[in-house]
Amino acid sequence: MRYFCNILLIASLLLLILQPVYLQSYKPFSAILLTNGFNVADLDSLQATGTNRQIFSNLEGLKLKNHQAQYIPDFFYLNRKFPLLDSLIILGNGVPESSLSAVKQDYVHFIGSEPPEGIVDLRYNTEIALTDTLQISMTYNKPVEGKHLLKLGSDEGIAFDSIIVEGMGEQMVKLKTLPRVPGRLTYRLTVENETGDLLTSEIFPVVVNDIQQMQILIVNSFPTFELKHLKNWLERKGNGLAMRHQISKDKYRYEFINRQKASLSLLDKELLRQFDVLMIDAGSLSSLSKRERNNIRNTISDTGLGLLILGDGQLENQVTVRRVREFYSGLQLKSVGHDQITSNEFGTETPMILYNWPFEIVGSWNADVLINANGNYVAKQHLGLGMVGINLISKSYHLLLEGKTREYSLLWSKILNEVSRREQKQNYWNEASVLAFVNEPLELQLTSNESRPIGIAENSAGLDYKFYLQEDVHIPQLFHGKIWPDSTGWLRINTEKDSMDHKWVFIQSDTAWLDLRLARQLYHNRLLGNRAQQSLVRQEVPNDKMKKVPISNWWFFIVFVMAAGTLWLEPKL
Amino acid sequence: MDHKETIQRLRTKWIRQSVGSFVLVLTGITLLCLLLINIWLPDDMHIVLVTVGIVFILATGLFYYRRQRRHITPINTARFINRNYEYLEESTELLLANETQLSLLEKLQRRRIAGRFQTIHSELRTPNVLKRSMAIFMLCLLMSVVLWFVILNNKLEHSNADASIGTEQSTREGDQTSWNKLPSIKRAMLTIRPPAYTRIKEHKTDDLHIKAPIGSMLFWEIEFTESIKSANLQLHNGNNIALVQRSKSNTYLASLELKAQGFYQLIFTSENDSIKQSDYYKMELINDTDPEIMVKDMPLFLRLDHDSLEMIKLSALISDDYGIRHARIIATVSKGSGESVKFREQKLNFDQSFANERSIQVTRDLSFKALGMEPGDELYFFLEAFDNRAPNPNRGRTEMYFIALKDTAEYVTIADGGLGVDLMPDYFRSQRQIIIDTEKLIADKHKISREEFKQRSNALGYDQKMLRLKYGQYLGEEAESGIAIDDAAEAQEETHDEAEETPDEHHHEHEEHSEQTDPDQENNEDELLAAYIHAHDTEEEFTYHAESIKQKLRKALAIMWDSELHLRLFDPNSALPYEYDALDLIKEIRMHARIYVQRIGFEPPPLKPHEKRLSGDLDEIQNLNTLSASEREEIFPYLKTTLLILEDLGNDHFKVTSEQQIILQKAGQELASEALKTPGKYLKTLMYLKQLSDNSIERNEVPEALKTIKNACLEIIPDNQPEPFMQHQNMDTLLRTYLKFLEENSN
């Protein structure tokens, strides 16, 4: 007896913990969810198909003539109250994006309203450097005839760029401007019709980062005019330079500009770590000792140092080419009979005329062409964490002498920016979408070396609060977080331990960018609708479905009490 | 009569009177306070203020009434009566009580004083504070009326001053109680007196924007509505000019000489130390330009025959914006050539006189004789003019004009590149001159007398002879020669052709000379002599030129002789063909002497840099170390920062901090330097910038100010040039691993 009661006791306790279920068949039902902007005609036609569907709506106070709609505040409520709901047809503008994750139904169809008039898609870099061009790409939907003027400008009405949209339908539009100052800037995008009426006026924010100068090390066999002009230009831009020219056998000239002196006689790792780019001509690279070449290679690979190999006559020598291949693997050079090339790389008014060494780089799968001039004369490829570039342009300083400073700047900025070391931030923040709104979720992504970073968000009033991040399942150092900003204006986001690497996000009011947000909502609802496994024509819901029904814990509890009671009572009897 | 009722009525009256007096005093004080508050509020707040006042009075009055009702009870009223009427024996309260509830003694006392009360009930009075309250109210009312008129006057003055001259702002912080009593400008007059030499009359204007010639004197006369402490004109370069008060009046004067363009502002300090500033006014300069000279019909370079013209007529138009004081010609005559060239400069005046006219036509004849010029000389001249500007007149001048007189003995220059050395002597070039003179003689034959004709022909013959002799020296002929020499030359040439094999060698051919047998007896003497003397000047030994040249030269000499013959026979017509032939031969000789060879480039020996380079002795050469630092070129840094500051400002918040004020002031200086280049363009921006930095901008001007300043900043600040900079990258472990994997596998 006691033995039997013990078994019952333990079993009931286990079952209480394990919570067993049993399968039960049920007949699921389908429903229609009415959202903002739904078409009554669609509802009527759906109900006329004969299938009995319950009607829900998230519109408070909705009254329909021929139908009865039950109000539900959100999807979470719907799932709780109607767990047997399997098929859902959504009419109108759909459910908000934040609620989409709550949609558990297997069969969802979305019959959405027409895309709104206005900006339905927007893409631009929310964070750019001071010398970059702010380029905004957007899709503008104009369902009516007539011309609309899109203007990019400031709050005070100063216009930077504009474009006229004609025709009907969705059109890709691009606007651009050059920011003049670094900082947190807000631009205004306005849309006017032909009569000058203002249709839309929206703010979009940009963070323009000030630029930080580079440290460049130049080693070459002999002084050249090309490097002299390059050096002067880099100096005017405030970059730090260290140069070593060989002027004779074992005789060098060392120049240090905007930085302290260093010993350049031996290129060791400590020295190379101080620089972002090493510019060296092929001849000098070939004549370096094996140890120095290894130092350079390891520094590029481990720390991301950039190497730019400048072409010279020594490239005819196979030994030199072999030595260059230690850095730029698979390098193949082709002799060419001309020494002048033209390039339209930067879209200047007239093609840029440059002079080249009599070689051309043969393309390879792992190399990127930097300057396209009817041939490959400047290219780069990865080497570990760093970049190695080859520059076969022998002369470009004539552009400066001809007064084409901008072309010269474009050329060398591109080459150096592509090859130079990338600074690694301790914490790197990223937001999921270009625009953020008050009281709407803002998804953030953090790449951090901290083990358990805690986020701090500070609004424009100086109030801050903490938020917590979840580490990515697959990628360590990647964290995800979500916050709901409660005030408009600039929001500063950083980790608790590091306030240097921060991110600025501009929170807009909930009445801003209505067209864009509606378009996005329609898009995401359509994606959701594509999960439907059967069409509306056939019967979308199977006749019988099995569901898991948990066995009530009370049974186990009663058994547990009885067994325990018996064990207690039995000695007394 | 019911005594209770009497007391009740008295109580009611007392309450009313006390509340009334309270409300009167309250109304007076409230009125005064509201008027004082009204100074700082805009006009559209009047109704709000009045409403607040009324509500306040009513509420407080009601509150006070209820309080008095509670406080002034019938018992208190009875006590009040007791205090004022002694013979009621402190028993008035008994009249209020219910008789049935009184004791016997109380009833007796009550009957006792009831009668007395009856007698005095018509005399009963409450505390009379109404008169005092009325007095206070009247006083407050009077003060309010006075204050009202003062405010009204101030506002009228304010609007008048705004209509006549820019915007006035008080920039003194903390001095807010007296802003409505600041003085303003009643009248402003500017007198512009241009320099005397411009002959522009002095004029007066009430427009303070200035556009006047450089050097003009400017006189300001500013009359204020009230007396002020001081007034200044602040110029764009920071200089201040104090305005001087005119003899105890409210009129202030200032003067300035207009030397540079820019802008200025009027700043004055009132008696209570409040500072007011006016708008910015521009100062635009009209420069005095140099005189312009236009020379007519005169080429820059003129080459004349020595007797073709004896003078040239020079004519020019000189003009200036205000007047020309003086003009002249600076002429330089050069004589000689080479190292012996001499220059003589002269200043020549024009025939006309200058009377400060703005435009004048001038002429002058340049006589070569008067200038002392001879054939072969050159004249360089230019015109210069001075205007009437004082003290330093402006000068204008023309290009340099060249007039060259041809030399009679001048020869045509030959650029003979083949030889490298011009072996032909200078006098070879006069054959053409002889031709020209001969043609001229033929042309003038009928114009001149017979004697002169013969004389000139003979002179030309002589010239031809001299030329022939000079040519003949090349062929080894003596200075004086005649027909005999010429024949002998021809004979010797014939024998020379047979005997000589190497014409370029210089050798004695005495044997040849001696072997020659000349049937002509005249030559025998020369042959006999030739055997005993060294004839280095004979044509056989003459080896400068190739043989054909010698032949041609000999022929030319013979033709020249014929030409001379005819000229001496006064027959230039016959001589002319011979002269042309001689010229042709001479030309041929020149052409013949040209050697056409293929140019051969200089081929240096091949370089061997790899062998030679870095092989020198460098012990004394040191490594060179240079260290330098330069600031990154930054254009308009403060204007850029101003753009950022403007981003944070808006209609609701436009007050700047002290750090921002400094930045805005410096931005103003940057903007001022740009404004100087284009006067009048950025004046409004400067004004707004100053107001913003002083925190003195009006709320309703903020949107326009922000827009204007931002517009100006965006206009002035140039686009950023592309440049290399430190890039940032998000490098997580996965990416690192991938890149390392690529590196390993690419090897």
Side-chain angles (χ1 to χ4, degrees):
Chain A
M1 182 67 172
R2 284 192 71 86
Y3 183 70
F4 178 67
C5 286
N6 277 326
I7 292 171
L8 273 179
L9 188 80
I10 294 165
S12 62
L13 201 58
L14 275 173
L15 288 171
L16 266 172
I17 295 166
L18 293 174
Q19 294 187 356
V21 298
Y22 68 95
L23 291 174
Q24 190 184 49
S25 69
Y26 71 99
K27 194 166 177 63
F29 74 97
S30 65
I32 298 173
L33 174 64
L34 303 176
T35 60
N36 203 3
F38 76 94
N39 194 350
V40 178
D42 290 337
L43 176 64
D44 291 339
S45 66
L46 278 172
Q47 290 299 71
T49 57
T51 311
N52 188 17
R53 294 189 186 89
Q54 193 164 350
I55 301 174
F56 298 107
S57 167
N58 63 356
L59 304 169
E60 214 170 334
L62 177 67
K63 285 191 178 11
L64 298 166
K65 241 188 211 176
N66 302 323
H67 309 281
Q68 199 73 21
Q70 184 177 347
Y71 170 70
I72 54 148
D74 53 41
F75 250 95
F76 303 97
Y77 178 88
L78 184 69
N79 292 337
R80 269 201 316 277
K81 290 289 182 185
F82 303 95
L84 302 183
L85 179 64
D86 261 320
S87 167
L88 186 65
I89 302 168
I90 303 175
L91 297 180
N93 293 338
V95 295
E97 281 174 64
S98 51
S99 304
L100 287 174
S101 57
V103 177
K104 301 257 183 275
Q105 287 67 25
D106 293 331
Y107 308 98
V108 179
H109 302 275
F110 177 60
I111 303 175
S113 52
E114 288 302 313
E117 179 183 335
I119 299 165
V120 295
D121 192 21
L122 178 71
R123 279 192 207 98
Y124 71 101
N125 276 337
T126 55
E127 205 164 321
I128 57 173
L130 181 60
T131 54
D132 290 342
T133 302
L134 173 63
Q135 293 203 3
I136 302 137
S137 302
M138 59 189 119
T139 306
Y140 190 79
N141 182 34
K142 195 164 73 65
V144 295
E145 284 286 353
K147 292 180 190 175
H148 284 185
L149 172 67
L150 273 69
K151 238 186 326 190
L152 172 65
S154 70
D155 277 338
E156 294 80 16
I158 301 165
F160 302 122
D161 195 10
S162 63
I163 190 166
I164 293 179
V165 179
E166 296 177 271
M168 290 172 61
E170 290 187 0
Q171 297 170 56
M172 280 290 292
V173 170
K174 283 188 185 176
L175 293 170
K176 62 179 180 184
T177 182
L178 280 165
R180 306 290 173 87
V181 292
R184 287 167 278 134
L185 309 178
T186 51
Y187 291 88
R188 190 162 279 278
L189 190 63
T190 55
V191 182
E192 292 172 11
N193 61 7
E194 280 171 311
T195 55
D197 300 326
L198 186 67
L199 302 175
T200 313
S201 176
E202 305 287 3
I203 297 173
F204 70 90
V206 175
V207 175
V208 179
N209 292 321
D210 203 355
I211 54 179
Q212 195 182 335
Q213 277 64 42
M214 284 187 193
Q215 297 291 324
I216 302 171
L217 173 61
I218 303 176
V219 175
N220 61 329
S221 312
F222 48 87
T224 58
F225 278 116
E226 177 74 359
L227 277 175
K228 178 194 160 203
H229 284 280
L230 179 64
K231 174 202 86 175
N232 291 340
W233 178 74
L234 287 168
E235 182 184 350
R236 280 199 301 275
K237 299 300 178 188
N239 295 287
L241 294 165
M243 294 181 75
R244 186 182 92 183
H245 311 287
Q246 184 170 18
I247 52 178
S248 191
K249 189 177 177 185
D250 297 327
K251 301 292 176 192
Y252 298 91
R253 179 182 169 180
Y254 301 102
E255 277 188 74
F256 301 93
I257 299 169
N258 294 334
R259 57 163 291 121
Q260 66 272 21
K261 279 188 186 177
S263 170
L264 301 182
S265 48
L266 179 68
L267 300 180
D268 55 14
K269 288 183 186 175
E270 259 187 55
L271 172 72
L272 292 168
R273 279 207 184 91
Q274 300 175 28
F275 296 96
D276 302 313
V277 179
L278 166 62
M279 288 174 59
I280 185 167
D281 57 81
S284 299
L285 184 68
S286 171
S287 60
L288 290 176
S289 64
K290 192 173 164 91
R291 188 174 151 208
E292 283 180 308
R293 294 202 306 277
N294 282 339
N295 286 340
I296 294 172
R297 195 189 152 83
N298 291 336
T299 312
I300 296 170
S301 174
D302 299 336
T303 68
L305 170 71
L307 172 66
L308 182 64
I309 303 171
L310 305 173
D312 62 6
Q314 293 293 312
L315 285 173
E316 288 177 347
N317 189 337
Q318 286 304 313
V319 173
T320 307
V321 174
R322 229 179 8 250
R323 296 261 162 92
V324 170
R325 280 201 193 108
E326 289 176 19
F327 301 91
Y328 194 102
S329 71
L331 172 67
Q332 295 289 341
L333 293 175
K334 183 172 80 176
S335 290
V336 294
H338 55 82
D339 65 348
Q340 188 173 317
I341 52 175
T342 54
S343 172
N344 282 317
E345 179 74 31
F346 303 105
T348 46
E349 282 180 15
T350 53
M352 197 188 295
I353 297 174
L354 301 164
Y355 298 89
N356 61 294
W357 294 102
F359 308 102
E360 186 185 333
I361 303 168
V362 175
S364 62
W365 65 272
N366 58 346
D368 293 329
V369 175
L370 291 184
I371 304 292
N372 197 338
N374 297 327
N376 189 357
Y377 298 92
V378 186
K380 66 164 188 182
Q381 66 173 211
H382 282 275
L383 177 63
L385 302 183
M387 285 285 186
V388 177
I390 292 192
N391 179 13
L392 294 181
I393 294 174
S394 63
K395 188 172 102 159
S396 61
Y397 69 90
H398 60 282
L399 295 171
L400 284 174
L401 301 178
E402 289 167 8
K404 295 179 182 174
T405 316
R406 188 176 165 80
E407 281 84 345
Y408 186 85
S409 303
L410 283 166
L411 174 70
W412 277 101
S413 301
K414 173 146 189 187
I415 294 173
L416 289 171
N417 284 341
E418 291 284 342
V419 163
S420 70
R421 184 202 303 270
R422 299 320 199 221
E423 194 187 359
Q424 306 296 322
K425 284 188 173 178
Q426 176 76 0
N427 295 301
Y428 196 93
W429 290 94
N430 224 347
E431 73 269 30
S433 65
V434 295
L435 298 173
F437 302 93
V438 71
N439 297 325
E440 283 197 14
L442 171 64
E443 291 188 11
L444 296 164
Q445 209 174 62
L446 169 68
T447 307
S448 173
N449 291 327
E450 294 177 30
S451 56
R452 286 186 189 176
I454 298 173
I456 304 272
E458 182 181 341
N459 63 11
S460 50
L463 301 171
D464 58 18
Y465 54 90
K466 285 184 194 173
F467 62 95
Y468 296 89
L469 300 146
Q470 182 187 25
E471 191 173 3
D472 190 84
V473 173
H474 303 291
I475 304 171
Q477 299 172 327
L478 185 63
F479 299 86
H480 304 277
K482 197 187 285 190
I483 58 171
W484 277 261
D486 56 358
S487 61
T488 56
W490 285 101
L491 187 73
R492 181 190 154 118
I493 295 168
N494 51 267
T495 60
E496 197 176 27
K497 288 182 186 171
D498 174 28
S499 61
M500 293 294 292
D501 293 332
H502 52 264
K503 172 101 184 150
W504 288 100
V505 180
F506 188 78
I507 311 298
Q508 310 220 29
S509 72
D510 51 6
T511 55
W513 293 98
L514 292 174
D515 300 332
L516 180 65
R517 286 154 72 188
L518 178 59
R520 277 193 187 152
Q521 186 174 295
L522 288 169
Y523 170 73
H524 284 104
N525 277 267
R526 282 204 181 87
L527 282 183
L528 179 71
N530 291 339
R531 282 171 20 194
Q533 296 175 26
Q534 289 182 359
S535 70
L536 282 173
V537 175
R538 287 174 286 160
Q539 191 169 352
E540 70 276 15
V541 180
N543 281 326
D544 280 311
K545 283 195 81 171
M546 304 300 283
K547 64 169 182 181
K548 291 180 191 168
V549 182
I551 301 169
S552 178
N553 286 339
W554 282 108
W555 296 109
F556 307 123
F557 184 68
I558 289 167
V559 167
F560 174 78
V561 167
M562 285 181 68
T566 308
L567 285 171
W568 171 77
L569 195 63
E570 193 262 340
K572 293 180 175 19
L573 289 175
Chain B
M1 185 167 301
D2 190 1
H3 304 302
K4 211 190 250 185
E5 213 176 285
T6 308
I7 294 171
Q8 197 67 28
R9 272 208 301 274
L10 190 68
R11 174 185 171 245
T12 309
K13 190 179 172 186
W14 191 10
I15 292 171
R16 262 196 235 128
Q17 278 181 354
S18 71
V19 169
S21 67
F22 173 78
V23 167
L24 271 174
V25 171
L26 182 67
T27 306
I29 294 171
T30 306
L31 191 65
L32 201 57
C33 290
L34 289 178
L35 272 172
L36 287 171
I37 293 167
N38 192 38
I39 296 169
W40 290 280
L41 290 179
D43 290 345
D44 53 358
M45 297 288 281
H46 280 163
I47 293 174
V48 173
L49 213 58
V50 167
T51 312
V52 163
I54 291 171
V55 166
F56 173 70
I57 292 168
L58 285 175
T60 318
L62 190 67
F63 171 76
Y64 190 75
Y65 172 71
R66 290 175 72 167
R67 178 188 176 273
Q68 291 299 81
R69 272 183 68 88
R70 280 198 307 273
H71 187 68
I72 306 177
T73 56
I75 299 289
N76 284 341
T77 312
R79 284 183 192 148
F80 167 72
I81 297 170
N82 288 336
R83 282 199 296 278
N84 285 291
Y85 297 92
E86 285 180 7
Y87 75 106
L88 289 177
E89 295 174 2
E90 299 289 333
S91 302
T92 316
E93 294 92 334
L94 293 175
L95 297 171
L96 291 169
N98 205 346
E99 199 165 351
T100 55
Q101 292 172 349
L102 293 173
S103 64
L104 186 63
L105 194 60
E106 285 169 344
K107 280 182 188 173
L108 285 171
Q109 182 64 11
R110 184 189 160 115
R111 271 191 213 119
R112 190 183 147 89
I113 64 156
R116 292 182 192 178
F117 189 80
Q118 192 66 34
T119 56
I120 60 137
H121 81 272
S122 56
E123 297 171 11
L124 288 173
R125 297 283 180 270
T126 54
N128 191 1
V129 292
L130 216 53
K131 277 184 188 171
R132 194 175 62 189
S133 308
M134 186 61 78
I136 295 171
F137 174 73
M138 293 307 293
L139 184 65
C140 289
L141 193 65
L142 194 67
M143 283 169 67
S144 305
V145 167
V146 167
L147 194 62
W148 174 258
F149 278 112
V150 167
I151 295 168
L152 199 64
N153 268 342
N154 200 27
K155 281 192 175 167
L156 280 171
E157 282 170 9
H158 220 69
S159 60
N160 281 344
D162 283 347
S164 66
I165 224 152
T167 314
E168 298 171 350
Q169 309 109 27
S170 171
T171 60
R172 192 63 173 254
E173 287 183 4
D175 197 10
Q176 305 199 6
T177 54
S178 59
W179 71 271
N180 54 346
K181 286 189 75 72
L182 289 174
S184 53
I185 295 169
K186 192 177 172 184
R187 186 180 66 92
M189 183 66 66
L190 175 67
T191 306
I192 301 174
R193 187 185 300 160
Y197 73 88
T198 59
R199 289 171 289 167
I200 298 173
K201 286 184 187 171
E202 176 183 301
H203 59 279
K204 292 180 194 285
T205 173
D206 56 0
D207 178 12
L208 295 186
H209 291 288
I210 300 165
K211 187 172 180 179
I214 186 169
S216 300
M217 284 303 296
L218 310 168
F219 300 95
W220 285 268
E221 190 182 322
I222 314 284
E223 188 181 343
F224 297 93
T225 52
E226 290 181 13
S227 66
I228 57 167
K229 260 192 179 173
S230 66
N232 288 309
L233 290 175
Q234 188 174 57
L235 304 182
H236 60 275
N237 52 10
N239 288 346
N240 268 325
I241 301 170
L243 277 85
V244 175
Q245 189 180 13
R246 180 201 279 171
S247 60
K248 294 181 186 175
S249 66
N250 290 336
T251 305
Y252 284 77
L253 310 169
S255 64
L256 174 71
E257 186 184 349
L258 185 63
K259 286 181 189 167
Q261 66 182 12
F263 48 89
Y264 70 96
Q265 190 183 35
L266 177 64
I267 301 173
F268 58 92
T269 312
S270 63
E271 289 290 350
N272 52 11
D273 293 332
S274 294
I275 300 170
K276 294 185 91 173
Q277 299 170 358
S278 72
D279 285 346
Y280 283 100
Y281 301 103
K282 66 177 180 187
M283 293 197 297
E284 211 174 314
L285 213 56
I286 302 172
N287 276 316
D288 187 353
T289 56
D290 297 340
E292 285 178 13
I293 308 170
M294 222 160 56
V295 177
K296 295 179 181 175
D297 302 328
M298 173 64 69
L300 280 177
F301 185 80
L302 199 58
R303 195 177 177 81
L304 299 171
D305 289 334
H306 72 286
D307 54 354
S308 59
L309 286 173
E310 288 180 0
M311 72 165 75
I312 52 165
K313 199 174 177 64
L314 187 64
S315 168
L317 176 68
I318 306 175
S319 57
D320 185 59
D321 42 5
Y322 294 119
I324 302 153
R325 196 185 70 186
H326 176 60
R328 62 190 176 189
I329 303 168
I330 310 294
T332 307
V333 176
S334 83
K335 286 179 174 295
S337 65
E339 290 182 1
S340 61
V341 64
K342 289 175 195 158
F343 298 96
R344 191 182 76 245
E345 188 178 286
Q346 301 174 54
K347 295 189 171 83
L348 309 170
N349 290 321
F350 285 103
D351 301 333
Q352 292 79 10
S353 63
F354 301 91
N356 284 334
E357 290 173 24
R358 291 198 176 166
S359 177
I360 183 167
Q361 183 80 31
V362 291
T363 53
R364 165 84 195 206
D365 293 334
L366 292 175
S367 162
F368 299 135
K369 200 170 176 183
L371 288 168
M373 284 180 70
E374 292 170 357
D377 293 347
E378 289 183 347
L379 171 68
Y380 321 119
F381 70 92
F382 63 92
L383 280 72
E384 67 175 6
F386 298 91
D387 65 3
N388 60 351
R389 183 184 167 198
N392 300 316
N394 290 322
R395 175 177 171 263
R397 58 159 285 176
T398 62
E399 300 274 347
M400 188 72 85
Y401 291 89
F402 296 85
I403 297 177
L405 291 182
K406 281 188 196 171
D407 193 359
T408 51
E410 201 179 79
Y411 293 90
V412 177
T413 309
I414 302 160
D416 200 351
L419 278 176
V421 177
D422 190 2
L423 291 174
M424 301 300 171
D426 288 341
Y427 37 72
F428 271 7
R429 298 176 194 133
S430 70
Q431 183 60 36
R432 189 175 287 282
Q433 189 64 44
I434 292 170
I435 292 170
I436 291 169
D437 292 339
T438 309
E439 283 172 349
K440 202 166 173 201
L441 180 65
I442 294 166
D444 293 342
K445 186 176 177 183
H446 301 291
K447 295 176 193 172
I448 53 177
S449 64
R450 182 86 187 143
E451 281 73 29
E452 194 181 340
F453 177 78
K454 283 182 181 176
Q455 192 185 353
R456 278 171 65 176
S457 183
N458 197 38
L460 277 172
Y462 179 76
D463 285 339
Q464 184 72 81
K465 174 194 165 184
M466 293 312 296
L467 186 64
R468 178 174 57 78
L469 288 176
K470 285 168 191 171
Y471 267 107
Q473 283 180 3
Y474 265 97
L475 290 173
E477 291 175 1
E478 297 295 332
E480 281 292 327
S481 66
I483 298 169
I485 295 170
D486 197 34
D487 290 338
E490 282 182 3
Q492 283 168 1
E493 191 192 327
E494 285 167 9
T495 53
H496 183 73
D497 286 338
E498 292 165 6
E500 211 173 73
E501 292 178 0
T502 54
D504 289 334
E505 286 181 1
H506 178 73
H507 59 274
H508 295 279
E509 291 178 2
H510 298 285
E511 294 86 4
E512 291 177 8
H513 282 291
S514 61
E515 284 172 10
Q516 284 172 8
T517 53
D518 193 353
D520 191 353
Q521 202 169 5
E522 292 176 357
N523 289 331
N524 284 338
E525 292 175 7
D526 291 329
E527 284 176 12
L528 284 170
L529 283 173
Y532 298 106
I533 59 172
H534 285 264
H536 290 280
D537 54 350
T538 56
E539 64 247 308
E540 283 83 359
E541 277 75 39
F542 178 63
T543 55
Y544 282 134
H545 300 289
E547 193 156 338
S548 56
I549 289 181
K550 270 202 294 191
Q551 281 176 341
K552 280 183 187 169
L553 199 56
R554 204 173 288 126
K555 216 188 245 179
L557 289 178
I559 290 169
M560 280 182 193
W561 164 238
D562 291 328
S563 163
E564 182 193 346
L565 174 68
H566 287 290
L567 281 169
R568 285 195 191 272
L569 293 175
F570 316 120
D571 185 10
N573 286 319
S574 304
L576 204 55
Y578 288 105
E579 288 171 9
Y580 275 117
D581 290 339
L583 183 67
D584 289 337
L585 273 169
I586 287 165
K587 272 192 197 168
E588 274 182 38
I589 289 163
R590 286 190 207 127
M591 298 300 290
H592 190 87
R594 288 184 184 177
I595 303 168
Y596 293 97
V597 295
Q598 184 185 0
R599 273 191 188 276
I600 300 167
F602 171 62
E603 280 194 28
L607 292 173
K608 295 172 188 172
H610 302 293
E611 290 173 24
K612 297 284 183 186
R613 199 163 179 267
L614 307 179
S615 62
D617 181 18
L618 306 166
D619 293 338
E620 294 182 21
I621 297 177
Q622 305 290 326
N623 287 331
L624 182 63
N625 264 289
T626 56
L627 179 68
S628 65
S630 61
E631 288 218 3
R632 183 164 178 262
E633 50 188 18
E634 197 66 69
I635 306 171
F636 301 119
Y638 293 105
L639 280 176
K640 287 182 180 174
T641 317
T642 302
L643 272 179
L644 284 175
I645 294 173
L646 294 178
E647 284 280 327
D648 293 333
L649 298 180
N651 291 351
D652 299 326
H653 53 280
F654 47 87
K655 297 291 179 193
V656 297
T657 61
S658 51
E659 291 89 10
Q660 288 174 333
Q661 277 181 334
I662 296 169
I663 291 167
L664 289 175
Q665 281 162 10
K666 289 191 177 163
Q669 289 169 10
E670 285 179 357
L671 187 61
S673 64
E674 286 300 303
L676 283 176
K677 293 175 192 171
T678 48
K681 190 170 181 189
Y682 296 116
L683 291 185
K684 204 168 179 187
T685 314
L686 278 168
M687 188 188 73
Y688 281 138
L689 203 54
K690 199 157 170 49
Q691 289 175 9
L692 208 60
S693 65
D694 295 340
N695 280 326
S696 62
I697 191 163
E698 300 285 338
R699 183 186 288 269
N700 55 353
E701 283 182 325
V702 166
E704 178 65 24
L706 293 181
K707 183 177 179 179
T708 308
I709 296 170
K710 202 166 189 177
N711 228 351
C713 289
L714 290 170
E715 255 185 55
I716 292 170
I717 298 171
D719 289 342
N720 293 307
Q721 290 273 349
E723 57 183 279
F725 58 93
M726 177 76 77
Q727 311 271 319
H728 296 287
Q729 189 178 35
N730 176 19
M731 182 83 73
D732 54 25
T733 314
L734 189 65
L735 186 59
R736 278 176 189 268
T737 313
Y738 174 65
L739 290 171
K740 282 287 184 184
F741 170 79
L742 278 180
E743 182 193 355
E744 285 156 19
N745 282 279
S746 65
N747 291 337

